């Protein structure tokens, strides 16, 4: 991040907007790094089905993250966010530690309980009691990554005398939770480094986000956590020339106002979120192409100038 930049700026790489072959995905990551973005992100999903359109799905997130870690050198990277239901938590911790090693300590581990029932049913993962399952999985994952070992027996998962060898970096990668659910926040906020909000939760606006951040502050205080110690991050939808009107998670996205305009206007919108205390944003671009990522260069230049 530039010294003058009020926040870190990342980009979410394609999920199901279209099928993107690996060479193009790798090129997008390299372009993001070259223009000065701070991070790259992948959604962790398996399958979407729509009433009047063909089924769509992305490449598997963790395998892709390993590849992206190997073809970049500076940007942080991570899942936005990983469903703890798709892997045994011991294996998820092992994969996260390995990608953190491949990347040289650049992983941010975003975690959530999942929501898309279609992919759960199709791939054979239990969809019931997701928050209770998350609580156990989160205990195992954070214990392994931060302490290197765990001995746990729960209702859904066991990890008896389990340890990570080789050990991850001291303290492990930073943990981020993507949720606004009251129980999820109570489970995660005592332990995570960052909170993440998705743009359609708050209509992609500062007016919508402000009361949500107040709720996160209150949730922090209710578990004895200083709100200032939890970094605020949000995904924002940005519409660029050539936009096609397709968004990630079309099934659930409600009406929202995209961020658009000149590079200076987009930078100004990002500054308004920084004014609320947001320290890292993940831009969801329409269209999402290598050219769109490159077009963010002037936005970053405007953002790096003194406000």
């Amino acid at each position: 991040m530039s010294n003058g930049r009020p926040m870190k700026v990342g980009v979410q790489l394609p999920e199901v907007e279209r099928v993107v072959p690996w060479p193009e995905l790798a090129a997008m990551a390299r372009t993001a790094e070259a223009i000065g973005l701070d991070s790259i992100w992948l959604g962790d999903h398996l399958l979407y089905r729509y009433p009047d359109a063909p089924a769509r799905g992305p490449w598997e997130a963790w395998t892709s993250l390993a590849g992206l870690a190997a073809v970049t050198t500076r940007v942080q990277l991570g899942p936005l966010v990983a469903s703890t239901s798709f892997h045994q938590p011991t294996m998820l911790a092992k994969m996260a530690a390995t990608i953190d090693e491949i990347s040289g300590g650049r992983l941010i581990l975003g975690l959530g309980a999942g929501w898309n029932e279609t992919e759960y049913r199709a791939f054979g993962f239990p969809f019931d009691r997701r928050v209770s399952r998350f609580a156990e999985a989160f205990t195992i994952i954070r214990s392994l990554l931060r302490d290197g070992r765990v001995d746990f027996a729960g209702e859904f998962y066991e990890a008896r005398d389990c340890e990570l060898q080789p050990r991850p970096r001291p303290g492990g990668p930073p943990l981020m939770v993507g949720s606004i659910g009251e129980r999820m926040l109570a489970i995660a906020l005592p332990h995570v480094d960052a909170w993440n909000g998705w743009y359609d939760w708050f209509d992609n606006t500062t007016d919508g986000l402000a009361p949500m951040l107040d709720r996160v502050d209150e949730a922090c205080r209710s578990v004895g956590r200083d709100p200032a110690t939890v970094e605020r991050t949000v995904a924002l939808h940005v519409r660029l020339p050539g936009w096609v009107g397709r968004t990630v998670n079309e099934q659930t996205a409600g009406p929202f106002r995209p961020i658009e305009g000149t590079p200076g206007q987009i930078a100004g919108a990002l500054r308004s979120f920084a004014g609320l205390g947001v320290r890292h944003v993940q831009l969801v671009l329409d269209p999402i192409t290598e050219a769109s990522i490159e077009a963010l260069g002037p936005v970053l230049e405007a953002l790096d100038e003194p406000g």
Side-chain angles (χ1 to χ4, degrees):
M1 182 171 68
S2 165
N3 289 336
R5 194 173 299 175
M7 55 171 51
K8 290 182 178 180
V9 181
V11 64
Q12 183 173 37
L13 298 181
E15 187 182 12
V16 293
E17 297 89 344
R18 58 193 175 86
V19 176
V20 177
W22 166 250
E24 185 180 358
L25 198 67
M28 286 182 177
R30 293 190 185 101
T31 297
E33 193 160 73
I35 68 165
L37 282 166
D38 299 292
S39 58
I40 55 177
W41 303 84
L42 290 179
D44 183 23
H45 286 284
L46 305 171
L47 180 68
Y48 292 93
R49 288 194 175 119
Y50 303 93
D52 302 313
R56 287 187 278 153
W59 300 113
E60 196 280 319
W62 287 98
T63 315
S64 299
L65 283 169
L68 293 171
V71 302
T72 56
T73 60
R74 180 188 57 78
V75 287
Q76 293 181 289
L77 73 169
L80 192 66
V81 292
S83 170
T84 57
S85 304
F86 292 166
H87 302 276
Q88 285 289 337
T90 47
M91 282 305 301
L92 197 154
K94 186 75 170 178
M95 292 188 300
T98 303
I99 290 175
D100 197 52
E101 169 64 19
I102 293 169
S103 69
R106 292 183 283 128
L107 178 70
I108 298 173
L109 181 53
L111 296 171
W115 59 269
N116 181 15
E117 185 172 1
T118 294
E119 59 198 358
Y120 279 75
R121 301 302 184 204
F123 281 79
F125 299 116
F127 192 69
D128 66 307
R129 302 183 63 193
R130 293 191 314 285
V131 176
S132 296
R133 293 176 188 275
F134 173 87
E136 291 190 9
F138 182 62
T139 298
I140 293 169
I141 292 163
R142 65 178 169 79
S143 298
L144 283 171
L145 290 173
R146 289 186 169 168
D147 305 326
R149 63 170 58 244
V150 69
D151 189 30
F152 180 90
E155 183 178 357
F156 307 105
Y157 301 110
E158 281 195 5
R160 304 315 307 256
D161 193 23
C162 181
E163 59 182 316
L164 288 184
Q165 292 292 346
R167 292 286 294 271
R169 60 170 146 152
L175 302 178
M176 180 177 77
V177 65
S179 179
I180 198 59
E182 185 176 344
R183 277 188 68 203
M184 286 286 290
L185 293 178
I187 292 163
L189 286 177
H191 307 287
V192 295
D193 302 282
W195 170 85
N196 178 258
W198 188 252
Y199 62 85
D200 71 344
W201 298 354
F202 51 89
D203 299 326
N204 209 47
T205 65
T206 52
D207 287 347
L209 181 62
M212 187 169 290
L213 294 179
D214 290 341
R215 286 169 56 191
V216 175
D217 284 350
E218 183 55 38
C220 284
R221 287 188 285 266
S222 70
V223 297
R225 183 80 183 268
D226 179 356
T229 64
V230 179
E231 183 179 69
R232 308 309 160 88
T233 78
V234 295
L236 298 174
H237 194 279
V238 175
R239 192 160 73 181
L240 298 173
W243 59 275
V244 295
R246 176 178 291 170
T247 66
V248 178
N249 299 347
E250 289 170 324
Q251 295 165 299
T252 60
F256 61 90
R257 184 187 315 154
I259 295 169
E260 57 187 334
T262 66
Q265 288 170 329
I266 294 174
L270 299 185
R271 284 186 183 278
S272 70
F273 283 92
L276 290 182
V278 172
R279 292 295 170 256
H280 200 155
V281 292
Q282 302 93 357
L283 304 184
V284 182
L285 303 180
D286 179 10
I288 176 59
T289 62
E290 188 179 354
S292 291
I293 294 173
E294 195 164 13
L296 292 176
V299 174
L300 296 179
E301 291 173 7
L303 194 61
D304 289 342
E305 295 173 357

